[in-house]
Amino acid sequence: MHWIVFLALATPAAAQDTDLELVLLADASGSISSTEIAFQRRGYAEAMRDADVLAAIADTAYGSIAVTYVEWAETQDVVVDWMEIATAEDAARFAAALDGPPRRAVGRNAIGAALLKGLDLIETNRIDGWRRVIDFSGDSPRNFSGPAIEAARREVLAAGVTINALAVISERGRGGGDTLAQTYGEIIIGGPGAFVVAAETRAAFAEAVKRKLILEIAGTPPPREVARN
């Protein structure tokens, strides 16, 4: 009986539109320079076009995912609205859409507000995904304004949305490292298979993003809760 239940839960319903609804929440707070904003966008663009990421998408139950890219600070800005990605051409359009929009998210950290923005985007997008994930990245655990992280996290998880995280290091030497990854593991991530990836250097950022995307798309968490690059 247990095996029958497991298989039923693991099989997506035919009525759903796509395998994964994924909100990419990228840090654009005051500690992130304009150069780093561009660097982050390039990293996500390259990762989405990567052959291994595209193979992971093709291998999902529906052969597609839905993605939106949002920069967060005290305010939040949707840089790329929801886009379905199933082919290399779709990934190229997503990458092109990341290149050009000005930086519009401003202010200091408001992590709770960012998480709730991600939840709102998922719940109002008219897309029916089998899995729903917020992919949060940042270089600090501080929350200077807006809803508390704990309350926002609780609301997101109650809606059945998983939160993963990427701990990054900024040009000013803030963030990254085992300490931030551990903190994100304690106060931000949650839901089935939730995990943290740490990017210790700028050189490791693109690879960390790629690895994280593959894990999220495949729905397979890493062996350890905190993975490092």
Side-chain angles (χ1 to χ4, degrees):
M1 180 62 70
H2 293 299
W3 284 106
I4 293 173
V5 172
F6 175 80
L7 291 172
L9 290 172
T11 303
Q16 289 165 322
D17 302 323
T18 191
D19 197 87
L20 172 67
E21 297 172 55
L22 180 62
V23 177
L24 301 174
L25 277 180
D27 193 347
S29 61
S31 61
I32 305 296
S33 69
S34 296
T35 300
E36 287 176 298
I37 292 290
F39 178 79
Q40 288 181 160
R41 291 184 185 183
R42 285 196 303 272
Y44 278 96
E46 291 171 8
M48 196 63 70
R49 291 194 305 259
D50 187 89
D52 291 337
V53 172
L54 291 171
I57 294 172
D59 198 41
T60 63
Y62 294 93
S64 70
I65 64 173
V67 186
T68 181
Y69 187 92
V70 182
E71 289 175 343
W72 68 270
E74 187 173 347
T75 62
Q76 307 88 39
D77 177 60
V78 178
V79 179
V80 180
D81 205 351
W82 286 104
M83 186 178 295
E84 182 180 11
I85 299 180
T87 67
E89 290 74 20
D90 296 334
R93 282 193 290 271
F94 181 86
L98 278 172
D99 183 21
R103 177 180 188 163
R104 291 181 290 255
V106 296
R108 303 176 77 181
N109 279 21
I111 294 174
L115 294 176
L116 292 180
K117 177 65 173 181
L119 176 60
D120 179 68
L121 289 168
I122 287 174
E123 293 192 325
T124 61
N125 63 11
R126 298 185 179 181
I127 300 169
D128 187 9
W130 179 32
R131 295 177 294 122
R132 307 191 299 171
V133 174
I134 291 174
D135 180 334
F136 174 89
S137 70
D139 69 354
S140 168
R142 297 176 182 173
N143 197 55
F144 292 104
S145 63
I149 296 174
E150 181 180 359
R153 176 182 180 274
R154 186 166 53 246
E155 186 172 340
V156 171
L157 299 183
V161 177
T162 294
I163 307 170
N164 297 325
L166 171 64
V168 300
I169 187 166
S170 71
E171 285 182 339
R172 302 175 189 180
R174 297 174 58 180
D178 292 348
T179 300
L180 182 61
Q182 183 65 39
T183 301
Y184 279 2
E186 293 169 354
I187 70 171
I188 291 181
I189 71 169
F195 63 92
V196 180
V197 171
E200 298 291 348
T201 65
R202 287 188 60 172
F205 180 81
E207 184 61 31
V209 169
K210 172 187 168 180
R211 180 166 182 259
K212 183 161 56 72
L213 286 177
I214 291 173
L215 291 170
E216 287 167 336
I217 293 164
T220 305
R224 299 176 62 181
E225 183 178 88
V226 178
R228 300 176 182 83
N229 275 283

